[in-house]
Amino acid sequence: MYIAQTFNVLHDWWRYLVGFLVIVLAVIVGQIPYTVLAIYKAIDSGSNLFEMNETEMMSLLEPNLNLFLMLLSFAVGLVGVFFAAKVFHKQTITQLTTARNKIDWKRFWFAFALWGLLSTGLTLLDFVLSPEHYEINFQLKPFLILCVIAIVMIPLQTSFEEYLFRGYMMQGLGVLTKTKWVPLLTTSFVFGMLHIANPEVKQLGYIIMIYYIGTGLFLGVMTLMDEGMELALGFHAANNLFTALLVTADWTAFQTYSVLKDTSQPTEAGFVDVFMPVFVLFPILLLIFAKKYKWTNWRDKLFGRVEEPVNKENIIEV
């Protein structure tokens, strides 16, 4: 099983502590180019970088360059996750990804296409119903450059978050506590709280944290029920990629040359922003996945004990 198979690799608590520190260091190293260039631009413009808010800081650089350098730290962080798994745990990328013998890319592409089509459709529907909230932001050359950067870098960013939270942390907490609910709830909460500095929180209020934590919980449930991260990887990549290409706003984390720009200035998150995704769309998606992949035994897969196999070579294959 996805967490239980981690007993087959080195899983001492100190290995996860050292591995986590290495991953944090990798992210910091990946942030150096952005920080150096941002400081240079701030000095050149006579501004104080340390007095700027996140939105002002991101406006220092050309949007495509800003996006690339912002995502670079996640790409380096992903290398850090794979390095920690390989060096400290003698764990392969496949073992970190899934309980199956090999990564099921069909699952990845199904989740990617399903959420990509659905989220794009909902955005276009809102554009049709409320055109006064949008303006056309399309510029061919910058958009094509954006496409290259986004298609290459955003999946690395989302994969880093998935491999860190639904992979490294979930498996580590699972084998250390021998539970499933502890890693599920812990990784969901930490994943959500790491978004608390996003400009969306300042614009929409702390209620938007329900969406971030709820998204983490949704991704965690998918991973445990499906015995692997493929669906979570596909969903997360589609969510961020289509958002970056389709719509931007002055108060969002991604400032891009997208097709549309949201010119509305919401003062707080509403039903569409928080409750519809978490309590309507995500449960529907879970039901679709459950039917397609024949998920059963929800209680044990989400709240059961993680038992160390008697014969570690005979982990159940999915």
Side-chain angles (χ1 to χ4, degrees):
M1 308 299 280
Y2 180 64
I3 293 179
Q5 70 176 349
T6 313
F7 284 111
N8 280 345
V9 302
L10 301 176
H11 54 275
D12 310 273
W13 68 267
W14 62 267
R15 296 179 185 275
Y16 284 100
L17 177 60
V18 176
F20 184 76
L21 293 176
V22 168
I23 294 167
V24 172
L25 179 62
V27 173
I28 293 173
V29 170
Q31 289 175 338
I32 292 175
Y34 184 98
T35 303
V36 170
L37 190 55
I39 292 174
Y40 170 78
K41 286 289 186 180
I43 294 174
D44 188 56
S45 64
S47 304
N48 187 339
L49 182 69
F50 301 101
E51 293 179 356
M52 294 181 174
N53 58 41
E54 188 173 355
T55 302
E56 292 172 335
M57 189 181 301
M58 288 190 296
S59 66
L60 283 172
L61 305 180
E62 188 272 335
N64 279 334
L65 177 60
N66 181 80
L67 181 66
F68 174 79
L69 293 177
M70 184 173 66
L71 296 176
L72 181 62
S73 64
F74 295 98
V76 179
L78 180 61
V79 174
V81 175
F82 291 157
F83 176 86
K86 178 66 175 178
V87 173
F88 299 119
H89 305 278
K90 307 303 179 185
Q91 186 179 32
T92 66
I93 294 177
T94 299
Q95 290 171 319
L96 188 61
T97 307
T98 183
R100 286 167 273 275
N101 291 328
K102 59 181 181 179
I103 299 172
D104 187 347
W105 290 106
K106 289 183 179 179
R107 277 173 154 83
F108 172 91
W109 288 114
F110 178 75
F112 181 90
L114 179 62
W115 185 242
L117 291 172
L118 182 57
S119 60
T120 299
L122 290 173
T123 300
L124 294 178
L125 178 62
D126 189 52
F127 172 67
V128 171
L129 295 177
S130 305
E132 69 277 8
H133 292 166
Y134 295 90
E135 64 181 32
I136 303 299
N137 191 51
F138 181 75
Q139 301 174 59
L140 180 59
K141 184 177 179 180
F143 179 76
L144 292 177
I145 297 173
L146 167 64
C147 286
V148 174
I149 294 172
I151 291 171
V152 173
M153 299 298 291
I154 286 180
L156 297 178
Q157 176 242 329
T158 56
S159 294
F160 164 72
E161 294 183 1
E162 290 309 305
Y163 275 105
L164 176 60
F165 291 103
R166 260 62 65 179
Y168 196 73
M169 288 182 63
M170 181 168 282
Q171 287 185 338
L173 288 171
V175 296
L176 294 177
T177 66
K178 295 188 177 181
T179 65
K180 297 175 184 177
W181 67 269
V182 170
L184 174 62
L185 296 183
T186 302
T187 57
S188 301
F189 179 76
V190 176
F191 173 79
M193 292 305 294
L194 285 180
H195 292 79
I196 199 168
N198 283 15
E200 291 92 334
V201 177
K202 182 178 180 180
Q203 181 70 30
L204 301 175
Y206 287 108
I207 193 173
I208 195 67
M209 296 306 298
I210 295 175
Y211 169 76
Y212 290 127
I213 296 174
T215 301
L217 185 63
F218 165 66
L219 293 166
V221 169
M222 257 197 297
T223 299
L224 290 178
M225 289 304 304
D226 201 49
E227 300 291 358
M229 291 169 42
E230 294 96 333
L231 294 176
L233 286 166
F235 171 91
H236 202 162
N239 185 71
N240 288 25
L241 178 59
F242 283 92
T243 298
L245 295 179
L246 191 58
V247 62
T248 189
D250 291 333
W251 44 268
T252 59
F254 278 175
Q255 302 288 309
T256 67
Y257 289 108
S258 58
V259 176
L260 300 173
K261 183 174 183 178
D262 185 349
T263 57
S264 65
Q265 293 293 322
T267 56
E268 61 180 14
F271 175 80
V272 173
D273 303 296
V274 177
F275 297 102
M276 189 174 78
V278 175
F279 298 107
V280 179
L281 294 179
F282 291 171
I284 290 174
L285 288 175
L286 287 177
L287 290 176
I288 293 173
F289 293 140
K291 183 174 178 60
K292 180 174 177 61
Y293 298 111
K294 299 179 174 57
W295 292 350
T296 58
N297 201 11
W298 288 66
R299 182 175 179 177
D300 180 66
K301 285 190 175 182
L302 298 180
F303 302 103
R305 295 278 297 172
V306 177
E307 302 293 344
E308 185 171 359
V310 176
N311 184 350
K312 293 186 179 182
E313 295 181 356
N314 292 329
I315 298 295
I316 298 174
E317 296 179 359
V318 180

